[in-house]
Every structure is written in structure tokens, then in C-alpha cells.
Amino acid sequence: MFNLDRRRFLGLAAAGAVSTGTLLAGCSPSGAPAVGAPQRGGRLRAAFAGGGSAEVLDPHDCDLYVEIARAKALFDKLADYGNDMSPQPRLAERWEPAADLLTWRITLRQAAFHDGRPVRAADVLHSYARITEPGSSRRAKSSLSVIDLPGSRAVDDRTIEFRLKRPYAEFPNALATLGAYIIPEGTTDFARPVGSGPFKLKSFEPGRAFLGERNPDYFDGAPLLDELEIVVTNDEAARVNALLGKQVEYANDLTLTSARTYEAGGQIRVLRLPRSNFHGLAMKVDRPPFDRPELREAMFHLIDREELVRSVLQGSGQVGNDVYGQGYRYYAEMPQRKQDLNRARDLVRKAGAEGMTIDFDTSDASTGLKEAALAISDQARQIGLNLNVRLGNKDTYWSDIAKNSVLASYRSGGMPLDSHFSQRLLTTSTTNNTAWRRPEFDALYNTAQSTLDERGRAEIYARMQRQLFEEGGFVWWGVSDWIVGSAPNVGGIDDASPANTLNWARFDKVWLA
């Protein structure tokens, strides 16, 4: 690692900062010229960053956005996440828990694979067994490991009875988890995969292009498009240029700079998908200096959230409030924190940390990590703290901060609050980057998962969030949009869906005017 001059960023941020109202005015796709009524036909070309020649069409091994988009085109899950991260039925028609929350009965809707075979309970059990098999490192494995598969059974072709290893009130979240796609029983070869999704495979070149054709028998209605082509273009500027040059009609993951440059010209439509990325800091609460609750509280009151949204996020987002998941199911509203330097300064003195130098790890691993660290380190000087910004290896950043960092820039995509708690904040969590280990917090989580009543569960989650708000190790200062671009003649893109939810990259609902 090497140190960064915090002033290197500030001049650029000030020059590029615009007020939230100025940047967002007129940029919503809902304010763009009407595309017209949905119509059938044509090929949509969509550009994504890719993973090179090692890419596969195995839906259980999808990590990149391009892999997820292809998997959504070819396959289905039992459920997927709605705009508020609540599970929405897909191949599952409904789910019913037993009173003890240890048994869940899933009824499948009538759906078919591309070769005409019906989607059956045996296909679901086979898919989940493959994901969770010993030695597997597939993404959905941790979420589905709550299932006692030997104790689960197919009641009939359209009914599955899942037996769980522990009570789990949020079990439908596991059905919706990334990578939990259903494949036909016995599938081992994915060179020409057969799924139940809205498009059938026509051709695939790893690291280059994918072509799918309409599945006329799709259970949720045949796509309007004749064909979907997904091309790989790793350079963001190249994706924008392809859109401007009419070589593609959709470009995933645009930068804030590109959005601001092109959205007013009318050549492309800029769509900002809200509540997609959460920006913050992670403080290790089990070691000096952040084992002192006064110092953690000082960090809560130090940060000028409005300034970071203006400068780091260039106005494309909203301020955070130190509790993850704004706008998501079960999110508990707290009094909005604002910068209070006097209170922060007093808390630093109480913690005995005045004049202290603290290493502050950051990286170029994700957009905004470095810029936020530089801005926050400058703010910290006003309360007598010297945050020594260190730039880490972007390829190993997340594992490095998990092991070694006491203070680090942090970023998260969307996930249900239940998943945020279980993956990051329990004593047994594997990605507990704040080292938050509280037996009473674990007990609240376990009680919530044993509570059948949703209102009672929400009350428990609110108590957990209040505890994190007051003394936790995360500072969530902002929530940013996910930015995609499209040609003016593309209709049907949902501009209210965070990235990685049901309606993100859902090309079966898109049309060309």
C-alpha cells in the first residue's frame, strides 16, 4: 500500500460537484420522450463488461453482471427479489410454511423447459443438490445450505416439501438468491443449456457474444423481441460509443461522468436505477481504536453526507443514515444524522483519541471508494483525527480489509436485510468486516427467524437496526443509483428496479419502437 494525498481529490471534486437537484432534473426516463406502445419484433443488442474466454453458461457459476443477464435470459429461479428486496414468486406459484418454520411446502407453477419437458419438483431438488454439493463454491451455496436436502422430498411433480436445519422465517429469500437457478434433472453439460427462461440459446462465444431467440411458450408471456444479443465490451467508454454509434441499443453500468455528459443531448436515454449501491465505512469494533464506542460515535457525527453525495456520487443518489437498506423491506427509519463537528470533536476527546493517526484503507476496487476516503480524511482533520489514507491492491482489497484493516472504505450492492444481518453481522458470519459479535444480537436474529408473524419479525429487526445505529461498526453515508443507457427507441426498461432485482436486465419485457 502507499499513502494518498487527500488534497489530490478535493479540487476535482469541487469542480465536478453539482447540486442533486441540478443533476437529476429532467434525467428520469419517465421524463424522456415516449417510446410508444409495446410492439413485437427485432433484435436488441446489449453491451456488458465480461470475463473473457473463461465464461460459461452454467447458471450456478454466475458472478459477473453479464453472466447474470445471460442466466436470466435462459433460466428461472423459484423466486426473485422485488424492488424492495422482498421475494416475489417466479417458478414457485406459492410457498407455505409450517407453524414451526422448519418445513416449507412449495407449489410450482405450470412451466416448461425449452425442450418441452415440464419443470418438476425433481428438477428443483437436483438443482439445489448440485449447488450445495461438497466442495462446491457456488454463490448460492451458503443461502441454500439451510435446507436439509436428504430430509426434503418431492410430494408430486409440482409440490416440494423442504425440511430446514433451523427455523427460517425468511426462507423465500434463499429461493431468490443469486445463482439459485433451476436446471433439468441430470444436466451436466452447459455447452447447449436448456432452461425455462424467456429466451432459447442460439449461439455463444465466451468473452464475446451471446444470442438468444424468443421462447414462445414462456410461462410469463413470450418476449416481444425476436432475439436478444449480449455483447462483451469491457471498456465503459466503448460501451457508450457503441450506443452513440447505434451498434447497440442498451449499455450496462455507465459512469456518472458519462451520464452527466450525454443525458441532456437526446442521443441516448440515461436510466438511474435507485437504491442499487450503498457506500460507507467499516470500523473493526473488536480492536483499538474503534473498540471505544465514543470514537465510533464520533465517526457517525463527523461525516458530511450531503457533501459526499454531491462530490463522490456527483449527485446521483441520496444521503445514507448508518443503517443498511434504505427503501428495502423491514428498513427502520431513524432520525437523520447530519454533520455535527462540535459533538464529534467532544467524543474524540472522551475517547482519548485527539491527535491520533489511524490507517484508513481504500482502493480502486469499486467506484467511489478512494474518492470518499480522501474527502472523509479531510473532514476528520477538523475534529483532531489524522486518517492516513492507504491505497490497497484492488484485486485483493476485500480479503485484505477483512483480515487486517481497522478502518476501510466499504461498498455493497442490494440484498435483503435478513441477508445483510446473517452474512455480515452475526458471530458466525463469514464476511463480518466490522467484527461485530454480540450474543444478544445473534439471539435477536434467531428469535426473528423463529417468528411466524411478519409484524413481530419487523419489530425485532427494528431493535437490531437501532443497536447498529447507536453503536455498530458500519457508517453508511450514501446510497447511489445504478446507471444504464439505452437508445431512444427502446421501451419497457424498468427504471425503478435496483440492480440484481427481478426487473433489472429483464429483456423479456423490452421492445424496440
Side-chain angles (χ1 to χ4, degrees):
M1 293 186 177
F2 59 87
N3 295 336
L4 291 175
D5 179 357
R6 59 178 165 261
R7 300 196 184 281
R8 191 181 310 167
F9 164 70
L10 296 178
L12 291 173
V18 294
S19 72
T20 304
T22 300
L23 181 60
L24 295 183
C27 71
S28 169
S30 59
V35 176
Q39 54 185 285
R40 178 172 166 170
R43 175 191 291 188
L44 179 88
R45 298 164 297 179
F48 284 74
S53 60
E55 290 178 356
V56 295
L57 291 177
D58 185 340
H60 298 158
D61 286 323
C62 57
D63 289 300
L64 303 174
Y65 287 109
V66 68
E67 294 172 323
I68 298 167
R70 287 193 296 250
K72 289 181 76 165
L74 294 173
F75 301 93
D76 284 299
K77 297 182 287 187
L78 295 187
D80 211 337
Y81 298 125
N83 292 356
D84 66 349
M85 288 293 164
S86 61
Q88 306 296 310
R90 297 300 295 155
L91 285 175
E93 190 172 71
R94 62 181 180 273
W95 44 72
E96 302 167 276
D100 62 2
L101 294 170
L102 281 170
T103 302
W104 286 74
R105 179 165 285 209
I106 310 295
T107 301
L108 298 178
R109 68 175 69 251
Q110 290 185 335
F113 291 110
H114 297 153
D115 58 6
R117 287 179 289 171
V119 177
R120 303 167 302 128
D123 302 310
V124 175
L125 292 171
H126 164 77
S127 300
Y128 285 6
R130 181 175 187 267
I131 292 168
T132 58
E133 63 188 358
S136 161
S137 59
R138 297 181 175 105
R139 180 185 281 265
K141 181 177 182 177
S142 60
S143 296
L144 296 178
S145 62
V146 69
I147 302 172
D148 173 14
L149 278 172
S152 302
R153 67 190 182 101
V155 178
D156 55 42
D157 275 354
R158 291 184 54 209
T159 311
I160 311 146
E161 189 174 88
F162 284 115
R163 185 70 179 171
L164 307 186
K165 298 174 184 176
R166 58 174 173 81
Y168 188 21
E170 308 291 356
F171 178 58
N173 285 340
L175 310 180
T177 196
L178 183 63
Y181 293 96
I182 306 306
I183 61 176
E185 183 181 17
T187 301
T188 58
D189 184 2
F190 291 91
R192 300 288 305 179
V194 172
S196 62
F199 294 93
K200 301 179 181 182
L201 177 66
K202 202 166 183 180
S203 64
F204 174 58
E205 292 181 77
R208 294 181 60 83
F210 161 93
L211 182 61
E213 60 183 344
R214 175 195 293 115
N215 174 12
D217 301 316
Y218 188 48
F219 77 84
D220 203 19
L224 293 166
L225 298 169
D226 290 332
E227 294 178 319
L228 168 67
E229 182 178 4
I230 298 176
V231 298
V232 173
T233 309
N234 282 333
D235 182 67
E236 187 267 350
R239 291 197 296 278
V240 173
N241 287 332
L243 192 57
L244 290 168
K246 301 182 179 180
Q247 297 168 306
V248 301
E249 290 80 34
Y250 179 99
N252 187 58
D253 193 12
L254 303 190
T255 65
L256 295 165
T257 300
S258 291
R260 188 171 58 177
T261 299
Y262 295 108
E263 65 189 348
Q267 294 173 282
I268 66 174
R269 302 173 74 221
V270 172
L271 300 100
R272 286 179 157 82
L273 313 184
R275 304 184 308 281
S276 292
N277 293 298
F278 294 80
H279 302 260
L281 308 178
M283 304 175 283
K284 289 283 197 305
V285 304
D286 68 337
R287 66 198 67 175
F290 292 108
D291 55 348
R292 308 175 204 182
E294 298 88 354
L295 190 56
R296 299 201 298 276
E297 189 179 353
M299 295 298 293
F300 292 146
H301 296 290
L302 154 69
I303 293 176
D304 186 342
R305 292 164 175 76
E306 289 82 1
E307 175 57 31
L308 291 177
V309 170
R310 282 193 299 269
S311 58
V312 177
L313 304 184
Q314 297 182 30
S316 188
Q318 58 184 305
V319 297
N321 199 30
D322 301 332
V323 176
Y324 177 84
Q326 278 170 268
Y328 290 173
R329 185 186 188 205
Y330 298 124
Y331 178 75
E333 296 286 349
M334 307 286 176
Q336 178 62 53
R337 282 189 172 129
K338 294 182 178 292
Q339 187 182 51
D340 187 339
L341 293 178
N342 289 332
R343 187 172 180 184
R345 198 176 292 114
D346 183 55
L347 286 163
V348 167
R349 283 195 294 267
K350 287 181 179 178
E354 197 168 19
M356 180 179 288
T357 296
I358 304 170
D359 286 336
F360 185 2
D361 293 316
T362 191
S363 170
D364 289 318
S366 292
T367 302
L369 291 179
K370 177 176 66 177
E371 292 80 2
L374 291 166
I376 292 168
S377 69
D378 194 70
Q379 294 173 8
R381 293 175 64 238
Q382 301 175 72
I383 65 168
L385 285 179
N386 177 29
L387 302 184
N388 179 41
V389 178
R390 305 189 303 176
L391 186 66
N393 185 329
K394 66 180 182 180
D395 295 325
T396 60
Y397 178 69
W398 300 109
S399 60
D400 290 343
I401 65 169
K403 297 174 186 176
N404 304 315
S405 178
V406 296
L407 176 66
S409 291
Y410 204 81
R411 178 174 172 173
S412 172
M415 62 174 61
L417 284 173
D418 153 65
S419 301
H420 173 64
F421 294 147
S422 64
Q423 294 179 21
R424 296 170 175 162
L425 293 162
L426 301 182
T427 300
T428 56
S429 295
T430 55
T431 54
N432 193 336
N433 285 315
T434 62
W436 174 264
R437 300 180 180 92
R438 300 287 190 274
E440 67 278 13
F441 189 89
D442 296 353
L444 284 172
Y445 177 80
N446 291 332
T447 300
Q449 298 314 314
S450 300
T451 301
L452 186 60
D453 176 62
E454 185 174 346
R455 182 177 298 180
R457 203 156 60 243
E459 291 173 355
I460 297 170
Y461 286 150
R463 290 170 60 189
M464 296 169 70
Q465 290 173 80
R466 170 64 67 177
Q467 190 174 351
L468 295 168
F469 183 76
E470 293 175 347
E471 55 178 312
F474 279 120
V475 180
W476 296 105
W477 58 259
V479 187
S480 67
D481 306 327
W482 184 263
I483 302 175
V484 301
S486 78
N489 67 324
V490 177
I493 299 174
D494 189 329
D495 64 336
S497 297
N500 279 348
T501 55
L502 170 61
N503 291 326
W504 168 81
R506 191 175 177 191
F507 297 114
D508 59 308
K509 299 301 182 184
V510 169
W511 72 88
L512 298 172

